[in-house]
Amino acid sequence: MPATPDTPAPIRYAPEVLDARAADQPIVALESTILTHGMPYPQNLQMAGQVEADIRASGAVPATIAVMEGHIRIGLEPEALSRLAQTRDAMKLSRADLAVALASGRIGATTVAATMICAHLAGIEVFATGGIGGVHRGAEISFDISADLQELAQTRVTVVAAGAKAILDLAKTLEVLETLGVPVIAYGQDALPAFWSRDSGLRAPLRLDSASEIAASHLMRARLGLPGGQLVANPIPREAEIPASTLSPLIAQAVAEAEAQGIQAKDVTPFLLSRIVELTEGASLRANIALVRSNARLAAEIARALAVARLA
Ligand code: PSU
Ligand code: MN
């Protein structure tokens, strides 16, 4: 096929997702960097299975997104999911890397930014993850600001996360999101959640208390011609949270170690997450799994509310 600008994106849908599209059923996108760079095997694969089951139980269809053999895969069947979860050298794909990975046939896991791009190409409007990337501590020196923030400003997908990861500078992350015009909507509380903890100590700019209001805001952005998505910040379930006071010295230690070891760029977030799993003796991993599952359930509700609103 000649590579003209009109050649469509190389997308391959899983049968379950194809059926859902044909029947106009609600679909929730899921990312894959959380599997390859965010959690160890086999917990990553177990989590992926649980999250997909949670979405089905909540009345929507899950579509885990990754790049394999030159295709954007929208929905991974068990064999592909298992292979990806065990791939140690998968590329970590953001907006900058997606085309190279596809064109060179490499295996790649999509971050929040790349998953938003792929979901949008596939017509999926709601996406669940753990926590988005943001402005790293010390960004005034390193300039390390996740491409997730720019993507939220330009791609029309509602992203459900437990806030930005608490390893980041959350106040600076909020400032950048405000500058970029990204709505940050806390779900059911005034405080901005902090990933493993319910309260970051910062007030979220916006608050909504129902999935249907979140769906209505998503649709209103389109009516206004506003590009970009929404960040829905869903606090981790109470029974699963780790208090911020327990975590903050451990996060500070992990950040100091990353700096001492010269960890940079794409390696920073995976290093910090895995170091914090070690420092909390696995507690942060259990919390991470609980918050992703909770985000998936809320995302399914939002996707269903969107489908209802479209019919009305
Ligand atoms: N949520 C998690 N674990 C993760 C991530 C999200 O619970 O590992 C991933 C997402 O793919 C997000 C990425 O886009 O971390 C952020 O990476 P960076 O800070 O390098 O932009
Ligand atoms: Mn970065």
Side-chain angles (χ1 to χ4, degrees), residues 262-287:
I263 310 285
Q264 280 178 332
K266 282 175 187 281
D267 297 333
V268 174
T269 296
F271 174 90
L272 292 176
L273 289 177
S274 80
R275 195 65 190 106
I276 289 165
V277 172
E278 289 167 4
L279 293 172
T280 60
E281 293 167 355
S284 70
L285 180 57
R286 287 190 291 278

Side-chain angles (χ1 to χ4, degrees), residues 136 144 146 265:
H136 279 270
D144 190 347
S146 177

Side-chain angles (χ1 to χ4, degrees), residues 31-39 47 92-94 109-115 127 129-134 136 144-149 161 163 165 167-168 195-196 265-270 273 288-289 291-292 295:
E31 60 147 312
S32 44
T33 293
I34 189 171
L35 304 177
T36 54
H37 295 74
M39 289 183 192
M47 189 240 7
K92 177 179 166 186
L93 307 178
S94 191
T110 51
T111 59
V112 168
T115 305
F127 159 32
T129 182
I132 63 159
H136 279 270
D144 190 347
I145 302 177
S146 177
D148 291 352
L149 302 185
K165 287 190 272 286
I167 54 175
L168 301 164
F195 199 61
W196 303 286
K266 282 175 187 281
D267 297 333
V268 174
T269 296
L273 289 177
N288 198 345
I289 292 168
L291 67 85
V292 178
N295 295 341

Side-chain angles (χ1 to χ4, degrees), residues 145-210:
I145 302 177
S146 177
D148 291 352
L149 302 185
Q150 296 265 16
E151 205 57 52
L152 278 160
Q154 60 183 309
T155 300
R156 199 175 283 144
V157 172
T158 286
V159 179
V160 183
K165 287 190 272 286
I167 54 175
L168 301 164
D169 186 322
L170 295 181
K172 289 194 181 76
T173 300
L174 274 187
E175 290 295 345
V176 171
L177 286 167
E178 181 181 21
T179 302
L180 293 172
V182 176
V184 178
I185 304 165
Y187 181 65
Q189 67 178 29
D190 293 326
L192 180 76
F195 199 61
W196 303 286
S197 317
R198 289 174 64 86
D199 187 345
S200 62
L202 298 165
R203 197 185 166 87
L206 297 161
R207 167 183 174 158
L208 291 174
D209 292 336
S210 71

Side-chain angles (χ1 to χ4, degrees), residues 10-312:
I11 295 181
R12 197 142 92 203
Y13 294 96
E16 184 188 17
V17 179
L18 217 51
D19 290 348
R21 281 165 61 85
D24 271 332
Q25 283 171 341
I27 303 175
V28 173
L30 296 164
E31 60 147 312
S32 44
T33 293
I34 189 171
L35 304 177
T36 54
H37 295 74
M39 289 183 192
Y41 179 81
Q43 287 93 337
N44 60 352
L45 182 58
Q46 283 160 11
M47 189 240 7
Q50 284 169 334
V51 167
E52 292 200 347
D54 290 330
I55 290 173
R56 292 187 192 102
S58 306
V61 170
T64 301
I65 294 178
V67 167
M68 295 171 118
E69 288 124 20
H71 283 84
I72 296 171
R73 303 283 294 264
I74 308 286
L76 295 179
E77 290 171 274
E79 186 274 326
L81 196 60
S82 167
R83 182 150 55 95
L84 185 72
Q86 295 176 72
T87 301
R88 290 185 181 276
D89 58 351
M91 289 175 79
K92 177 179 166 186
L93 307 178
S94 191
R95 168 174 279 262
D97 321 288
L98 199 51
V100 168
L102 284 163
S104 60
R106 291 178 62 185
I107 188 160
T110 51
T111 59
V112 168
T115 305
M116 289 178 74
I117 294 170
C118 297
H120 186 66
L121 285 169
I124 303 172
E125 295 171 283
V126 184
F127 159 32
T129 182
I132 63 159
V135 181
H136 279 270
R137 299 175 187 201
E140 60 275 23
I141 305 289
S142 68
F143 274 48
D144 190 347
I145 302 177
S146 177
D148 291 352
L149 302 185
Q150 296 265 16
E151 205 57 52
L152 278 160
Q154 60 183 309
T155 300
R156 199 175 283 144
V157 172
T158 286
V159 179
V160 183
K165 287 190 272 286
I167 54 175
L168 301 164
D169 186 322
L170 295 181
K172 289 194 181 76
T173 300
L174 274 187
E175 290 295 345
V176 171
L177 286 167
E178 181 181 21
T179 302
L180 293 172
V182 176
V184 178
I185 304 165
Y187 181 65
Q189 67 178 29
D190 293 326
L192 180 76
F195 199 61
W196 303 286
S197 317
R198 289 174 64 86
D199 187 345
S200 62
L202 298 165
R203 197 185 166 87
L206 297 161
R207 167 183 174 158
L208 291 174
D209 292 336
S210 71
S212 57
E213 288 173 303
I214 295 167
S217 307
H218 178 99
L219 294 172
M220 187 58 73
R221 287 185 70 84
R223 287 171 64 184
L224 298 176
L226 294 172
Q230 314 187 101
L231 175 60
V232 176
N234 182 32
I236 183 173
R238 220 172 280 282
E239 63 280 7
E241 90 161 319
I242 307 178
S245 57
T246 309
L247 276 174
S248 81
L250 304 179
I251 294 172
Q253 182 184 338
V255 169
E257 288 175 7
E259 208 184 306
Q261 294 178 36
I263 310 285
Q264 280 178 332
K266 282 175 187 281
D267 297 333
V268 174
T269 296
F271 174 90
L272 292 176
L273 289 177
S274 80
R275 195 65 190 106
I276 289 165
V277 172
E278 289 167 4
L279 293 172
T280 60
E281 293 167 355
S284 70
L285 180 57
R286 287 190 291 278
N288 198 345
I289 292 168
L291 67 85
V292 178
R293 295 185 65 181
S294 161
N295 295 341
R297 290 188 290 264
L298 177 56
E301 258 190 83
I302 296 167
R304 286 174 49 201
L306 266 179
V308 170
R310 283 249 156 69
L311 290 176

